[in-house]
Amino acid sequence: MAAVFTCCLGCCGDGGPGHAPLKEMPTVHLDTHHMGTDVVIVKSGRRICGTGACLANAPLHQNKSYFEFKIQSTGIWGIGVATQKVNLNQVPLGRDSHSLVLRHDGSIYHNNEEKNRLPANSLPQEGDVVGLTYDHVELNLYLNGKNMHCPASGIRGTVFPVVYVDDSAIIDCQFSDFYHTPPEGFEKILFEQQIF
């Protein structure tokens, strides 16, 4: 038994020869390399304020992704998915084929066309959490854990979570440790190396 304990200490206890440190898995957060020029990102890449849009640092490669946004301060804002070709300085998003977003007024836009709308009595307010699911076909929305039954589709290509703000809006992004349980079959965003 002592020989096994000594071997264990010699192999991994002191990081000596043969020791391979574990690679820390990356975390999903807002990507300061893919944001508008007047955007401010704080709280370790989880809060956006200022004016403009920002993509997350992980594309949605897996079949069923879930992520959340919390409205900390109202104003003009939008949340959804976008390709890296989207203009992050031009808000609101949803004006072209590179973004599919829920806007603060409850409309869901893609390619300058309203694709759907939240029920009139379900507009997100300050303090509300909006969950999004995406399965490479359809974007679905959840308000404080409740399915809003207003799917939207149309965007093509590799997409990333996107959020934009203007007029004093502040939005927090939650890519893990969710406020609400994801719908069945959906999970947090995984980096490509975590999927395979």
Side-chain angles (χ1 to χ4, degrees):
M1 180 69 172
V4 172
F5 184 71
T6 303
C7 177
C8 183
L9 282 177
C11 295
C12 57
D14 63 359
H19 174 72
L22 293 176
K23 186 175 182 182
E24 190 172 312
M25 295 309 290
T27 59
V28 180
H29 54 82
L30 294 175
D31 189 350
T32 56
H33 298 292
H34 292 97
M35 67 181 199
T37 54
D38 294 327
V39 167
V40 177
I41 303 296
V42 294
K43 290 194 151 229
S44 302
R46 289 187 43 235
R47 175 172 286 178
I48 182 172
C49 47
T51 299
C54 187
L55 296 174
N57 66 331
L60 302 179
H61 284 303
Q62 73 215 60
N63 291 335
K64 294 183 173 187
S65 304
Y66 178 79
F67 45 101
E68 295 175 335
F69 297 96
K70 184 171 185 179
I71 315 302
Q72 294 292 357
S73 181
T74 56
I76 296 172
W77 55 266
I79 54 179
V81 294
T83 69
Q84 286 187 325
K85 293 181 181 179
V86 69
N87 182 345
L88 298 172
N89 291 304
Q90 184 180 20
V91 297
L93 297 185
R95 296 182 191 187
D96 59 28
S97 63
H98 304 298
S99 60
L100 173 62
V101 295
L102 167 67
R103 294 178 175 175
H104 69 282
D105 65 359
S107 61
I108 304 167
Y109 265 80
H110 170 66
N111 211 15
N112 214 29
E113 179 183 339
E114 186 174 313
K115 295 293 191 173
N116 212 330
R117 178 172 282 279
L118 290 176
N121 61 347
S122 298
L123 294 181
Q125 304 296 316
E126 196 168 296
D128 284 344
V129 174
V130 181
L132 289 87
T133 59
Y134 185 70
D135 63 5
H136 295 280
V137 175
E138 214 169 65
L139 181 75
N140 282 283
L141 304 164
Y142 297 77
L143 182 60
N144 297 318
K146 181 182 177 196
N147 189 341
M148 292 289 97
H149 301 287
C150 56
S153 60
I155 194 163
R156 301 281 182 256
T158 301
V159 298
F160 297 73
V162 68
V163 57
Y164 71 80
V165 291
D166 197 5
D167 195 30
S168 302
I170 300 172
I171 307 289
D172 282 358
C173 307
Q174 203 69 28
F175 299 112
S176 62
D177 303 322
F178 301 118
Y179 292 99
H180 301 280
T181 304
E184 189 173 332
F186 288 87
E187 61 182 336
K188 70 179 183 176
I189 299 165
L190 301 173
F191 282 87
E192 194 168 20
Q193 66 265 28
Q194 293 174 305
I195 295 172
F196 301 110

